[in-house]
Amino acid sequence: MPTVDGAGERAWRFFARDRDLDCREPEFDAQTRVRGGDSRIRIRARALPRDPVAEVDRLDPAAIADTAPGTPPPGEEHTFVITDGARLDPSAVLTEPVLRCVDDVLATSG
């Protein structure tokens, strides 16, 4: 699987369609912390979680995640900043259907 890095961007090339890949459950560590009225979700990849997202608006429509990191390679970290996220339940933020990636969707759609 080739990777291209440049100009602050990274691209991955998979040689099959998503539904044809042998996807496993995603492997990453995650934790939350509150800062002021916002919260932060830090993820650290242990494998290759494809396109992780924090869909915090599922818990509260006013909560907004600032970014999606693309696909972080193993060992890389990314922190989502959640505007108005301080009141969200930390355990709910770290589980489906809020913290997700392509791999867990494909792995569970069987």
Side-chain angles (χ1 to χ4, degrees):
M1 163 181 47
T3 321
V4 177
D5 286 307
E9 300 290 326
R10 179 183 297 137
W12 299 89
R13 172 73 169 125
F14 297 89
F15 291 101
R17 296 177 295 178
D18 285 345
R19 66 176 176 235
D20 296 332
L21 295 172
D22 182 21
C23 293
R24 296 176 290 162
E25 291 291 324
E27 295 179 37
F28 57 86
D29 300 312
Q31 60 185 172
T32 63
R33 72 176 201 268
V34 173
R35 178 178 279 168
D38 300 334
S39 66
R40 299 198 172 11
I41 304 170
R42 187 178 75 189
I43 62 168
R44 181 178 178 84
R46 286 186 275 133
L48 191 70
R50 295 197 26 236
D51 300 321
V53 295
E55 297 179 345
V56 292
D57 57 329
R58 290 175 175 258
L59 299 175
D60 181 345
I64 300 169
D66 66 338
T67 58
T71 299
E76 188 171 289
E77 293 183 359
H78 177 75
T79 300
F80 297 97
V81 177
I82 313 302
T83 303
D84 291 333
R87 64 183 171 276
L88 299 177
D89 174 4
S91 62
V93 168
L94 297 179
T95 60
E96 291 182 33
V98 178
L99 190 56
R100 305 203 66 177
C101 69
V102 171
D103 298 326
D104 76 348
V105 173
L106 291 172
T108 58
S109 68

